[in-house]
Amino acid sequence: MKSLKMRKSIAALGAATLALTLSVAITPSASAAPVCATAAGVETCTGTLTNGAGYVFKVPTNFAGTMFFWEHGFRPTYPGVSAVPKGVEEITPGNQTNNTDVTKEMMRAGYGVAAYDGTVKGMRGWNNTFRIEMLKEVIDTAMAKYGTRIQYKVVYGSSQAGAIITPFVEKYPTYADSVGIMAGITPSPADAFQSACDIFYLLSIFADPTIKGCTAFGVKGVPGHMASLGELQKVVALLTAWSKNLGAPGLEHPAALKGSPIPQRSALLLIGLLTGVPTKSAHMDGISTNAVIAEHSINATVAVLENMGEAVATGTLAAQSASEITGPGFYDNTKTDWAALLDEGDAGRYNLGLSGDEAITAMMGVLAASPRVTGNADAIAKFKALDKSNFTSTHPTILLSNEADRLVFAGNSSRYVDKKRAAYEAALAKWEANKTGKKPVWNTLALYAMTPETYTKFTAAGLPDLAGAPAASGVGHQTFSKAQTMAWVRMLAVSAKSGNIPTGKYVQYIAKKVPYLNDDLDYRPTDLKYNFG
């Protein structure tokens, strides 16, 4: 999912919304052989798929036979929060903070690269079913062009791509020799979308009762997009106010807590903890304190504030896009156990930021008594079945995540590993029962880019400096250093040739050479709040 900065003001969002037209450009269906040209030792080929979407190949003169096929993340169909793409934007993994990629590095290493624009007749959004077939066509086209020069195929991608690549390699197992998922969502995306919808709901309880959130989603086309932007604008207003006063004023909502000593920031922190928003952010390390940020849990609260903007902005567009598949009513929280979502360790660690045990009890009590959202059974079933995967692919698969990804939470990686582990153990048990065929091997590796221990900076007034340089590693979405990205790329290339993930010793050797790449193979990030199976 493309990074969406909350530096967009409400006015800018409103202006972009007003500029939205009621039509989307439709690209004529067309199929064309690639047009190629060579410059500076690199052959670049461009062409269109049968549905008119563009693609790009780049193959260096020192090509050694390994071709990487890139699957980009979420892109919006309509303008509003970010610009609508105008073609192939990413050719290789890009850092969405400094707008750099590793194309030159991959060319120097002798890898070929391919990418395409995941648009279907001008429509983007949650079009995963179409993109599975488009990815197949890209690979078929590359194989027709380069033939046996391509010896190994690496299928890799970021963010939304996790919900495309996973079912793709199950449906077309011969189309990949290794698989890479960067900051990727684990199917079903319903696990992550549910938490995004919870953010809207919880904000409606503790901050703005007019927020409808995901209950307003599901209408197709421009009307649905406009409705979702309207909900997003309400959240932008809240986050903008809190960014100025750090949530210091007392709660105005719900009525039962108005006039209590609980500040708004305590409710904000509670919302973050209930939904899994990271308590480290680009500028807040969750630890550093000073006269203004007097306790580490207040640092973490500002981290939640900084992270929530992107989580809600992209979550709004993605959830609305997915809701056009499910129909209205996909969100339901009638069975949500809010108390179970508040980890006891978190309640203790962030006790002061939550204003103490009595405030926690009061807020959770009001939440338990608040009216729930009842969804539509058919829409809910479709929601939970989105991008259904069985995780039975035996290809070497390497995941790369930031410890404090503010959009696709790192728990997606551990969820992916858990699902792959369950499929592997079932296959192993079956093999041990009859000892026929090839014995299954564990072939999934999760890598994590970690944050520095401390990195928060303060202004002369003692406020957090949210305009300075972000942490050197471990934060943001699809924001990895070139060294981290290329370590992942090289591991994918080696795995494609060997058929196996790198050994633990090799990973630890590389991690010691690449700053902030975690060498703890047993590391597990905070789990996602939901698991719909």
Side-chain angles (χ1 to χ4, degrees):
M1 299 180 184
K2 192 174 183 181
S3 178
L4 300 174
K5 306 296 184 184
M6 286 308 295
R7 289 176 299 192
K8 306 285 188 181
S9 66
I10 302 173
L13 180 58
T17 303
L18 290 174
L20 181 63
T21 59
L22 297 180
S23 63
V24 176
I26 303 299
T27 305
S29 296
S31 178
V35 176
C36 303
T38 300
V42 176
E43 180 184 59
T44 300
C45 299
T46 60
T48 55
L49 302 177
T50 53
N51 71 353
Y55 65 82
V56 176
F57 302 148
K58 283 185 176 291
V59 175
T61 54
N62 63 335
F63 180 55
T66 301
M67 192 83 172
F68 284 74
F69 295 89
W70 178 248
E71 186 75 35
H72 67 70
F74 181 81
R75 300 292 186 268
T77 293
Y78 310 104
V81 180
S82 65
V84 175
K86 296 181 180 179
V88 181
E89 291 186 318
E90 288 181 335
I91 298 176
T92 62
N95 183 313
Q96 295 186 350
T97 293
N98 57 27
N99 295 318
T100 61
D101 63 22
V102 292
T103 302
K104 290 182 180 179
E105 288 76 8
M106 293 183 73
M107 295 295 98
R108 283 197 293 266
Y111 303 134
V113 303
Y116 74 102
D117 178 19
T119 181
V120 180
K121 295 184 178 179
M123 308 294 284
R124 292 177 174 82
W126 210 260
N127 55 0
N128 293 7
T129 301
F130 295 99
R131 286 175 64 179
I132 287 173
E133 302 309 318
M134 293 166 73
L135 177 56
K136 177 181 182 295
E137 186 178 354
V138 170
I139 296 175
D140 285 337
T141 304
M143 294 302 297
K145 163 65 178 171
Y146 296 107
T148 56
R149 291 184 64 193
I150 299 178
Q151 300 175 43
Y152 304 102
K153 301 183 292 293
V154 177
V155 175
Y156 70 146
S158 71
S159 201
Q160 179 189 7
I164 299 170
I165 292 174
T166 305
F168 172 82
V169 294
E170 293 170 7
K171 184 174 183 179
Y172 298 111
T174 64
Y175 276 68
D177 295 297
S178 68
V179 176
I181 298 176
M182 170 185 277
I185 198 164
T186 292
S188 165
D191 293 351
F193 287 161
Q194 183 78 8
S195 289
C197 291
D198 282 351
I199 292 174
F200 276 114
Y201 172 80
L202 294 168
L203 287 172
S204 77
I205 300 298
F206 291 109
D208 182 356
T210 69
I211 291 176
K212 298 178 181 178
C214 292
T215 63
F217 297 175
V219 176
K220 291 185 177 182
V222 172
H225 177 70
M226 299 292 281
S228 69
L229 284 187
E231 296 305 303
L232 176 58
Q233 283 180 310
K234 298 174 187 177
V235 176
V236 170
L238 287 172
L239 298 181
T240 300
W242 283 332
S243 70
K244 295 176 181 178
N245 61 30
L246 299 185
L251 284 173
E252 293 291 328
H253 305 281
L257 296 180
K258 185 174 182 178
S260 73
I262 304 173
Q264 294 172 17
R265 67 181 175 215
S266 290
L268 173 63
L269 177 57
L270 178 65
I271 293 169
L273 295 176
L274 290 174
T275 56
V277 178
T279 51
K280 293 183 180 182
S281 66
H283 298 93
M284 307 304 293
D285 54 33
I287 297 175
S288 297
T289 60
N290 70 352
V292 177
I293 306 298
E295 204 269 341
H296 75 272
S297 63
I298 300 177
N299 184 305
T301 303
V302 181
V304 169
L305 172 62
E306 188 173 21
N307 286 331
M308 194 174 286
E310 184 172 359
V312 174
T314 308
T316 295
L317 300 183
Q320 164 58 23
S321 297
S323 74
E324 295 193 24
I325 299 171
T326 67
F330 69 93
Y331 176 62
D332 182 288
N333 64 17
T334 55
K335 297 180 180 179
T336 300
D337 183 351
W338 298 113
L341 295 183
L342 181 61
D343 181 85
E344 288 185 8
D346 285 344
R349 179 182 178 186
Y350 302 112
N351 195 269
L352 183 57
L354 292 168
S355 296
D357 292 338
E358 290 186 6
I360 295 172
T361 299
M363 289 188 288
M364 294 301 292
V366 168
L367 183 56
S370 297
R372 300 298 184 99
V373 173
T374 302
N376 174 274
D378 182 59
I380 294 169
K382 291 178 181 178
F383 177 58
K384 294 180 178 180
L386 284 170
D387 310 315
K388 188 173 180 58
S389 301
N390 55 33
F391 297 88
T392 54
S393 169
T394 58
H395 296 304
T397 302
I398 305 177
L399 316 176
L400 178 62
S401 300
N402 273 324
E403 172 192 359
D405 190 319
R406 60 192 180 193
L407 179 54
V408 178
F409 303 155
N412 276 276
S413 282
S414 51
R415 175 66 49 76
Y416 196 102
V417 170
D418 288 346
K419 291 190 174 186
K420 287 294 289 285
R421 179 71 70 180
Y424 159 74
E425 290 179 350
L428 182 61
K430 183 178 180 180
W431 180 88
E432 288 177 340
N434 52 40
K435 294 293 194 297
T436 59
K438 187 177 180 180
K439 183 179 180 179
V441 297
W442 176 243
N443 225 1
T444 300
L445 169 66
L447 301 174
Y448 295 92
M450 309 301 287
T451 68
E453 184 176 357
T454 60
Y455 53 88
T456 296
K457 306 295 182 184
F458 298 98
T459 67
L463 296 172
D465 183 3
L466 302 182
S473 174
V475 299
H477 179 61
Q478 197 182 322
T479 53
F480 301 93
S481 69
K482 287 188 177 181
Q484 291 167 348
T485 302
M486 285 305 297
W488 177 62
V489 164
R490 290 190 176 98
M491 288 184 192
L492 287 170
V494 170
S495 296
K497 293 179 181 179
S498 69
N500 296 290
I501 58 173
T503 65
K505 287 185 178 180
Y506 177 79
V507 174
Q508 290 175 330
Y509 170 77
I510 295 298
K512 285 179 171 58
K513 292 180 174 295
V514 177
Y516 300 111
L517 193 62
N518 195 355
D519 65 353
D520 180 1
L521 301 180
D522 294 323
Y523 171 77
R524 185 180 181 94
T526 301
D527 288 333
L528 298 180
K529 294 296 182 177
Y530 294 96
N531 185 359
F532 293 130

